[in-house]
Amino acid sequence: MSMIRVFVYGTLKRGQPNYHYMTDTAIGVARFVGQARTADRWPLVVASKYNIPFLLDLKGQGEHVEGEIYDVDQKMADFLDDFESHPKLYQRTTIPIEQLTNEDDSDLGDEKATHQCSVYLLTRFKPHIAQLPCLSNYNCQEALGVAAYVERYLRDPQDSLDFLIDEVRFRDN
């Protein structure tokens, strides 16, 4: 079975509110590869009234972002594209990711490897989004002036994806 390597940095990580999707075999297969961080600096910000983490397409700015690498099957990759509203909100692209631990969370030490991983970036955003504080490691709980994530089931049902897009990014003409 062909697998796709993805890097998650937000609510899909272990211990975060949407991690349960990564373990739901009804929507596909996701195998934890290890903890990791971006090889380059990227701005990870929390924005919108729902406090959603966004990795901005501004390579070289921000921090080395910590997250997790997964190998996913095509079914899970399709689910993730839908979940992340690709390509309407996020754009899936490939960037270099440094693997720090193995699947058992043992440090790789000098054996660290760099992988090309799919990641979801916000490529078109309003200027004020790039001015928000950058994080190196996302946690859904309120900390350091960043408000807690609002899970989808708690959001205003009147707020569509278009509402979120209007909040954080420029519209295509």
Side-chain angles (χ1 to χ4, degrees):
M1 171 178 11
S2 177
M3 301 296 272
I4 301 160
R5 191 149 279 183
V6 298
F7 175 73
V8 298
Y9 54 82
T11 66
L12 291 167
K13 296 188 308 183
R14 294 177 299 171
Q16 299 303 309
N18 293 318
Y19 172 68
H20 62 94
Y21 293 118
M22 303 302 284
T23 61
D24 185 348
T25 57
I27 59 174
V29 174
R31 184 182 65 79
F32 178 72
V33 174
Q35 295 180 46
R37 71 175 173 218
T38 57
D40 298 301
R41 293 180 181 277
W42 297 87
L44 172 61
V45 301
V46 175
S48 90
K49 75 178 190 178
Y50 297 122
N51 306 313
I52 297 171
F54 294 101
L55 194 60
L56 305 182
D57 189 9
L58 292 171
K59 180 180 173 182
Q61 298 182 32
E63 306 289 335
H64 291 279
V65 176
E66 298 173 28
E68 299 168 349
I69 298 173
Y70 288 85
D71 284 335
V72 303
D73 67 0
Q74 188 61 55
K75 187 176 177 183
M76 179 61 80
D78 291 344
F79 169 81
L80 292 173
D81 280 352
D82 183 60
F83 181 79
E84 299 291 3
S85 303
H86 165 72
K88 195 168 183 180
L89 178 61
Y90 289 97
Q91 297 297 310
R92 181 174 26 84
T93 191
T94 303
I95 66 171
I97 301 293
E98 297 174 346
Q99 183 179 350
L100 304 174
T101 72
N102 65 17
E103 65 276 3
D104 298 321
D105 282 327
S106 297
D107 191 304
L108 293 177
D110 292 337
E111 303 298 316
K112 289 180 177 69
T114 300
H115 306 280
Q116 293 297 314
C117 297
S118 291
V119 65
Y120 294 91
L121 297 176
L122 191 63
T123 58
R124 293 181 303 272
F125 44 87
K126 294 181 177 179
H128 77 276
I129 301 293
Q131 303 306 312
L132 294 170
C134 294
L135 306 173
S136 62
N137 191 4
Y138 174 79
N139 187 315
C140 69
Q141 303 302 314
E142 186 172 358
L144 300 173
V146 177
Y149 174 75
V150 178
E151 294 190 51
R152 290 180 180 200
Y153 75 93
L154 294 172
R155 297 178 191 171
D156 185 340
Q158 301 301 314
D159 289 347
S160 65
L161 176 60
D162 287 336
F163 168 82
L164 179 61
I165 291 170
D166 285 341
E167 261 199 306
V168 298
R169 76 166 236 215
F170 291 116
R171 282 253 181 223
D172 296 329
N173 291 331

